[in-house]
Amino acid sequence: MNLRLSRSGAAVALCAAALLTLSACSDDSGDSADSTTSAAESSSAEATAAELDVRVEDLMLPESDFPGTGTYVVKDKAAIDADQSSDPEVTPANCAAIANQEDGTDAFDRAQVEYEMEDGSTIETEVVLGQAEDFDTVVTQVESCPAMTMRSTLDDGTPLVAELENSIEDVEGSTVPAKTIISTGTATAGEQTIPITIRSTGAFVEGTTVSVQITLVGDNAASWNNSDEAFLVELLNKQIAVVQDAAAA
């Protein structure tokens, strides 16, 4: 589900790292990791769809809610699904759940804001009109995948590898219960290696799955502080409020 890395988040992280090292990422994906457990089998909650009489794209936060130094793009379900073609290979196989290659919500409508900043860092907010899992499932999956490797390839054939360690924590200050998955480590393109951190925070509200993901690369990967956390929670709460207002209309 989308409390974890967003559908395109793993690829975005690798691409951002590549832009700081060699060149842009390839649109070609590696072979996806096999998993012996399907999303439906791994979920402890019955998949349910939200009953909101609204276009999901209309639920996305406006550009004015973001820092003001980046590129703002709203993506519909078709554009998000197209990003699957650039998903990296994830190992071990059970970690594909953390990388959101098996989120159990493919049938649900969704939309996403992708906000790319000048330093290569990215912010993504996403609303999925449905819920396929619960917090207990997410915690179990993260605990079973303390470390993972993501592999992709640059346009020139250079291998791109991210080695990440995963942890999970509660979110303080959110208007509904929320969790954050932190994936931190390094991304290597050829012989160059840089730090990378992905913080994916999400919640369930009014039958939807709401998430905010921030990907930090280079010097920014280790610079997360209380002010940054406060901004992330504020963004999450704004997205939650938009969904709650739509449900009450």
Side-chain angles (χ1 to χ4, degrees), residues 179-197:
K179 298 281 187 182
T180 295
I181 295 174
I182 304 104
S183 299
T184 183
T186 60
T188 300
E191 296 181 354
Q192 301 186 56
T193 300
I194 63 169
I196 186 169
T197 296

Side-chain angles (χ1 to χ4, degrees), residues 13-150:
L14 289 173
C15 288
L19 288 171
L20 292 184
T21 53
L22 296 176
S23 60
C25 283
S26 169
D27 289 334
D28 297 330
S29 64
D31 295 332
S32 61
D34 293 330
S35 176
T36 58
T37 304
S38 69
E41 292 171 338
S42 66
S43 174
S44 62
E46 182 180 356
T48 57
E51 297 181 1
L52 299 181
D53 186 18
V54 63
R55 291 175 67 251
V56 65
E57 291 90 342
D58 294 336
L59 297 175
M60 305 316 297
L61 296 178
E63 185 172 2
S64 58
D65 284 335
F66 293 81
T69 57
T71 303
Y72 171 92
V73 177
V74 175
K75 301 166 70 174
D76 61 12
K77 185 177 187 299
I80 297 169
D81 288 347
D83 284 339
Q84 293 185 58
S85 64
S86 60
D87 280 349
E89 176 188 355
V90 181
T91 54
N94 63 292
C95 291
I98 304 301
N100 205 19
Q101 294 183 340
E102 291 186 5
D103 66 2
T105 61
D106 285 345
F108 301 137
D109 198 7
R110 69 187 69 211
Q112 179 188 94
V113 167
E114 184 175 291
Y115 192 84
E116 183 175 350
M117 291 175 280
E118 294 177 354
D119 61 8
S121 300
T122 61
I123 303 172
E124 294 177 8
T125 63
E126 187 169 50
V127 174
V128 179
L129 295 184
Q131 177 181 341
E133 293 175 333
D134 57 20
F135 284 133
D136 289 342
T137 300
V138 177
V139 170
T140 298
Q141 290 173 336
V142 174
E143 289 177 344
S144 69
C145 177
M148 65 185 180
T149 301
M150 298 191 297

Side-chain angles (χ1 to χ4, degrees), residues 164-188:
L164 299 172
E165 295 183 354
N166 302 312
S167 60
I168 190 166
E169 61 185 30
D170 293 327
V171 178
E172 295 185 5
S174 58
T175 54
V176 301
K179 298 281 187 182
T180 295
I181 295 174
I182 304 104
S183 299
T184 183
T186 60
T188 300

